[in-house]
Amino acid sequence: MRQGHRADLQSALVVGNEPDHEGLREPPVAEVVRDGDAVIVALAGELDLYNADAVRNVLIEECARKPARLVVDLSRVAFIDSTALGVLIEARTKLENHSGFLLASPATETRRALEISGLDRHFGMHDTLDAALSAKL
């Protein structure tokens, strides 16, 4: 996929989430963009025990579609706990080509959680979404 991919997503399908009934928390899955053999799942807000199932369901569903590359955009994630980290691990195991499960744009706190847990060594982690989309698999 070439640089500036967002402009090229004319035919992509975008799926959003509704806010929770209280409106207090940002939906954990901000959007899903499918473009050819790549999928971008943008996560947002606080990822924890309370919304891990929603994240798990979307990631597992997208892995079942067998994309060559599934990029989890973490740029809008403010907090991630061990439950949500476990969801990322589980989802990666569901993708046939594990190296095609990539993390993009983790903010400082999210990057720190991945590093402290040692998971940064198990995921393809990229500073930008474009870098993840163009990374060699």
Side-chain angles (χ1 to χ4, degrees):
M1 194 171 292
R2 61 189 129 86
Q3 199 167 0
H5 67 280
R6 289 232 180 233
D8 298 327
L9 297 178
Q10 303 293 333
S11 63
L13 172 64
V14 178
V15 179
N17 274 350
E18 296 296 320
D20 67 51
H21 66 282
E22 297 173 13
L24 299 176
R25 295 181 70 148
E26 188 171 359
V29 180
E31 67 179 339
V32 174
V33 179
R34 297 183 197 105
D35 185 38
D37 64 352
V39 175
I40 302 164
V41 177
L43 302 180
E46 297 178 2
L47 306 181
D48 55 26
L49 174 67
Y50 299 105
N51 56 25
D53 283 338
V55 173
R56 176 184 292 108
N57 292 342
V58 169
L59 289 175
I60 300 300
E61 179 179 319
E62 293 306 321
C63 287
R65 294 176 184 274
K66 300 181 181 183
R69 177 184 315 260
L70 191 150
V71 179
V72 181
D73 180 356
L74 299 169
S75 62
R76 295 183 259 179
V77 173
F79 172 81
I80 188 166
D81 77 355
S82 60
T83 306
L85 291 173
V87 167
L88 294 177
I89 294 165
E90 177 185 354
R92 182 176 181 260
T93 67
K94 304 296 183 188
L95 193 63
E96 282 184 20
N97 177 10
H98 300 315
S99 65
F101 192 94
L102 306 169
L103 304 181
S105 306
T108 303
E109 293 301 320
T110 302
R111 182 178 296 275
R112 186 174 302 142
L114 289 160
E115 290 170 350
I116 289 171
S117 65
L119 293 176
D120 61 321
R121 295 185 301 270
H122 299 281
F123 287 105
M125 210 159 60
H126 301 274
D127 290 334
T128 67
L129 185 56
D130 283 334
L133 288 168
S134 62
K136 184 176 178 181
L137 298 180

